[in-house]
């Protein structure tokens, strides 16, 4: 048959075969057409064969897409399709007397000569398995890596530059198997995957003589879902390993089967050959197991033998031949099981005790039931947006997260607040002066939780509170530096106490100041008070309880002045008086003078015998959301040339010309009339 100019005849023929066979048997048609091309190739019609095989692969993609859409997530045995690998192979072997061949071999880490970054270690481990079937004493690849790292020869550049004799001596072997990844490409479409891998292998004795070299490229094609014991586990680990990594393993396996028969080996003693093993897999790949998990292991090999798996440094598990040639086992992880990166080795033994071993090349096994240590160095600090918790980084390398729990009480109960991958967390819900208790728990990658560490802390409304000097019980005549009155403490103000312009006074919630009949705190510096409705600051009595004469920031928050002659006197600056109460005043609630500009908001002025608020000089106070009650004989008397803004307040009794005197705008408040 000669293809026409446009290849139409070939395409129609292949397409017709596909449609026909798809109707009869979904999976078998694709394999048949592919093999038609393979048969023609062997018959000598190279050009037609190659084009037929290419067309078959194109239609296979379409077929698999149709199958995946039709299945809608279901799968049957008929869906699994496997196509023979396409490979090109070339090797050469020196004329070597088998008696002079090395006896012990180390399979070195493969060097990647491609631009791709893939899991090529799978190729090396798979080749190692196949090479281990040769009559050499093969040094385990884990021992090879350990010795190379100890000698600082593991890096690619150092491995490339090292002399053969030096490497052989370091590894304690007679020969070396060098490997290079020379080719790699991949194509994936729905359930269909295609990977091509090329390797170059060289077997060198310790004197540098090349015994054998070979080069091969294998292209694997796979799609569908397998239902064999091996395939079921491969389906599971496909969720942890990317499809390309599974196909990379399959390509490496095909490479090993293609190349190993051509490698010379020392003569064997007469007798039976060890049982053949094809594959060993386990479903612990890509995850860390712990108590409650189940490990599934499967081995494919010669039927009718005794099979078991050996987990290095851990234990041996017997396998059961579930189907002819398929050996399986499941192991329930116990609380005390702990291993880190152990190889899973399948062993097949015949009746005479001759054994063969095969290491699962895809991944090592990790079981972790050891809980991390409790976090140390935990402390809290106030930051702009809340309370920041810090702790030391865990010494265990496998800690992946921390859980932060919180309670308002030292004994709990504690509720989960957040998770953090870092060794710090900021609680933005923490409130000033509200102490909270925190527990921090470290969690490792297996989900093990360690013991908790506890710390208490509260947000500081002002960072200076942490280092401010606490004043004595009797306030001094002059307050110097940065000083603080601590929450819950009682202080005496028996006379005048002055805060100079260079000083700062911070007052925490819950402070009580007993000012007697003559006490007065005169403020020329910065004053910050942090009272609240739930936990106010109280000043009992006083002559002029607070005299505010400062151009520095002054903020009175949540202050109750009860029974003073004059609660607050303002002579300068722009102090803020918020959510405060001035009550039972013997004379006035406030006297405001000079050019001061105070803001009184959300406050309550109640009870005065000489007038509520007296405004003098060129003062310009503002009153917002403040209640005036039982101020005798007036609520406000203003002698300032400026109009006073007193809108939006409440008055009892209602404002009138006799209770509001001077230029005061009080419209819009409760009880107000115009």
């Amino acid at each position: 048959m000669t293809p026409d100019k446009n290849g139409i005849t070939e395409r129609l023929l292949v397409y017709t075969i596909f449609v026909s066979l798809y109707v009869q048997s979904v999976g078998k048609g694709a394999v048949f057409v592919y093999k038609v091309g393979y048969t023609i190739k062997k018959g000598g019609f190279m050009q037609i064969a190659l084009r037929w095989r290419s067309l078959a692969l194109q239609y296979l993609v379409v077929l698999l897409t149709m199958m995946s859409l039709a299945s809608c997530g279901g799968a049957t045995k008929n869906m699994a399709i496997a196509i023979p690998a396409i490979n090109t192979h070339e090797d050469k072997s020196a004329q070597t007397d088998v008696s002079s061949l090395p006896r012990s071999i180390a399979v070195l880490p493969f060097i990647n000569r491609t631009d791709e970054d893939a899991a090529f270690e799978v190729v090396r481990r798979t080749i190692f398995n196949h090479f281990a079937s040769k009559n050499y004493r093969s040094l385990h690849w884990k021992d090879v890596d350990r010795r190379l790292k100890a000698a600082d020869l593991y890096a690619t550049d150092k491995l490339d530059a090292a002399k053969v004799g030096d490497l052989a001596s370091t590894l304690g072997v007679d020969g070396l198997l060098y490997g290079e990844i020379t080719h790699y490409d991949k194509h994936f479409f729905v359930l269909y995957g295609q990977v091509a891998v090329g390797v170059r292998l060289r077997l060198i004795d310790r004197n540098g003589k090349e015994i054998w070299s070979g080069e091969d490229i294998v292209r694997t094609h796979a799609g569908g879902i397998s239902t064999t014991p091996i395939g079921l586990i491969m389906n599971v680990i496909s969720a942890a390993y990317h499809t390309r990594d599974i196909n990379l393993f399959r390509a490496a396996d095909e490479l090993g089967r293609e190349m190993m028969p051509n490698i010379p080996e020392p003569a064997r003693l007469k007798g039976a050959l060890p049982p053949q093993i094809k594959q060993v897999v386990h479903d612990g790949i890509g995850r860390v197991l712990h108590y409650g998990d189940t490990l599934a292991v499967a081995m494919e090999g010669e039927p009718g033998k005794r099979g078991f798996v050996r987990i290095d440094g851990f234990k041996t598990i017997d396998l059961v031949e579930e189907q002819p040639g398929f050996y399986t086992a499941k192991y329930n992880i116990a609380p005390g099981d702990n291993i880190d990166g152990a190889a899973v080795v399948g062993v097949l033994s015949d009746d005479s005790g001759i054994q063969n071993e095969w290491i699962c090349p895809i991944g090592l096994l990790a079981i972790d039931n050891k809980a991390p240590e409790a976090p140390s160095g935990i402390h809290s600090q106030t930051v702009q947006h809340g309370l920041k918790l810090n702790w030391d980084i865990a010494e265990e390398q496998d800690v992946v997260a921390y859980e932060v729990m919180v309670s308002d009480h030292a004994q709990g109960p504690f509720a989960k607040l957040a998770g953090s991958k870092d060794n710090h967390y900021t609680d933005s819900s923490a409130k000033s002066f509200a102490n909270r208790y925190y527990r921090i728990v470290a969690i490792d990658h297996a989900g093990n939780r360690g013991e908790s560490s506890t710390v208490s802390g509260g947000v500081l409304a002002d960072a200076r509170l942490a280092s401010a000097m606490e004043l004595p019980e009797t306030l001094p005549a002059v307050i110097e530096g940065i000083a603080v009155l601590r929450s819950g403490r009682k202080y005496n103000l028996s006379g005048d106490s002055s805060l100079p312009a260079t000083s700062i006074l911070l007052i925490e919630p819950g402070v009580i100041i007993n000012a007697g009949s003559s006490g007065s705190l005169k403020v020329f510096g910065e004053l910050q008070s942090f009272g609240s409705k739930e936990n106010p600051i109280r000043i009992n009595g006083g002559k002029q309880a607070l005299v505010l004469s400062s151009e520095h920031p002054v903020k009175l928050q949540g202050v109750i002045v009860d029974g003073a002659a004059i609660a607050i006197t303002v002579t300068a600056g722009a102090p803020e008086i918020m959510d405060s109460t001035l009550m039972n005043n013997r004379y006035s609630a406030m006297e405001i003078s000079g050019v001061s500009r105070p803001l009184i908001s959300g406050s309550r002025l109640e009870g005065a015998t000489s007038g509520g608020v007296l405004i003098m000089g060129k003062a310009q106070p503002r009153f917002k959301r403040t209640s005036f009650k039982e101020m005798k004989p007036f609520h406000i008397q203003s002698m300032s040339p400026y109009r006073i803004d007193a809108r939006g307040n409440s008055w009892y009794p209602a404002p009138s010309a006799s209770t509001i005197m001077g230029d005061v705008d009080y419209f819009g408040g409760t009880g107000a009339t115009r």
Side-chain angles (χ1 to χ4, degrees), residues 366-389:
I367 302 175
D368 184 3
N369 282 306
K370 183 180 179 182
E373 297 291 333
S376 60
I378 182 171
H379 62 281
S380 63
Q381 65 180 108
T382 298
V383 293
Q384 183 177 1
H385 300 294
L387 187 69
K388 185 176 183 180
L389 306 173

Side-chain angles (χ1 to χ4, degrees), residues 297-536:
V297 185
M299 177 171 64
E300 182 181 3
E302 194 173 323
K305 307 300 180 183
R306 175 179 175 264
F308 60 92
V309 292
R310 185 181 68 249
I311 302 174
D312 287 349
F314 183 50
K315 63 173 54 191
T316 297
I317 303 172
D318 287 330
L319 299 175
V320 176
E321 191 172 11
E322 182 179 331
Q323 299 175 20
F326 291 99
Y327 302 82
T328 64
K330 289 187 177 181
Y331 173 73
N332 296 322
I333 306 301
D337 293 344
N338 287 286
I339 54 173
D340 183 18
V344 177
V345 183
V347 182
L348 203 57
S349 176
D350 63 16
D351 293 337
S352 62
I354 299 177
Q355 296 182 348
N356 193 10
E357 295 186 355
W358 192 275
I359 302 172
C360 176
I362 306 179
L364 303 176
L365 178 64
I367 302 175
D368 184 3
N369 282 306
K370 183 180 179 182
E373 297 291 333
S376 60
I378 182 171
H379 62 281
S380 63
Q381 65 180 108
T382 298
V383 293
Q384 183 177 1
H385 300 294
L387 187 69
K388 185 176 183 180
L389 306 173
N390 295 275
W391 55 91
D392 295 339
I393 296 175
E395 294 184 2
E396 296 93 337
Q397 297 298 316
D398 62 345
V399 170
V400 296
Y402 300 90
E403 184 175 281
V404 181
M405 296 175 286
V406 66
S407 175
D408 292 331
H409 307 283
Q411 303 304 318
F414 285 82
K416 181 179 178 180
L417 179 62
S420 175
K421 293 183 178 180
D422 302 310
N423 62 321
H424 55 81
Y425 174 76
T426 298
D427 181 7
S428 57
S429 66
K431 294 180 172 53
S432 299
F433 302 105
N435 204 47
R436 308 184 88 181
Y437 298 86
Y438 299 89
R439 284 183 177 174
I440 316 297
V441 175
I443 304 172
D444 65 20
H445 56 184
N448 298 308
R449 298 167 59 89
E451 295 293 327
S452 64
S453 293
T454 304
V455 67
S456 64
V459 173
L460 297 177
D462 190 308
R464 295 171 295 185
L465 286 165
S467 57
M469 176 187 66
E470 184 176 353
L471 293 177
E473 183 177 342
T474 298
L475 299 185
V478 178
I479 300 172
E480 296 180 331
I482 301 177
V484 62
L485 303 181
R486 292 296 183 191
S487 180
R489 297 286 304 276
K490 293 182 179 181
Y491 298 90
N492 296 319
L493 180 60
S494 57
D496 289 349
S497 183
S498 176
L499 181 71
T502 56
S503 297
I504 299 170
L505 178 60
L506 309 173
I507 307 177
E508 293 184 348
V511 165
I512 297 176
I513 301 175
N514 293 314
S517 60
S518 59
S520 179
L521 178 60
K522 297 183 177 181
V523 178
F524 300 95
E526 180 180 348
L527 172 64
Q528 300 286 340
S529 68
F530 305 101
S532 64
K533 182 179 180 180
E534 298 79 13
N535 199 12

Side-chain angles (χ1 to χ4, degrees), residues 554-589:
V554 173
K555 181 178 179 180
L556 296 179
Q557 173 83 43
V559 176
I560 297 176
V561 182
D562 186 0
I566 301 173
I568 297 177
T569 300
V570 182
T571 64
E576 297 179 63
I577 302 168
M578 300 177 294
D579 304 322
S580 295
T581 299
L582 313 180
M583 58 190 296
N584 302 320
N585 307 284
R586 300 199 303 272
Y587 299 114
S588 300

Side-chain angles (χ1 to χ4, degrees), residues 54-86:
S54 176
L55 288 169
L57 289 176
Q58 293 177 35
Y59 289 117
L60 177 62
V61 173
V62 177
L63 175 61
L64 287 169
T65 304
M66 294 169 62
M67 291 163 59
S68 64
L69 293 175
S71 66
C72 295
T76 66
K77 289 185 178 181
N78 289 333
M79 283 187 62
I81 297 177
I83 298 177
I86 306 172

Side-chain angles (χ1 to χ4, degrees), residues 75 85 645:
D645 183 0

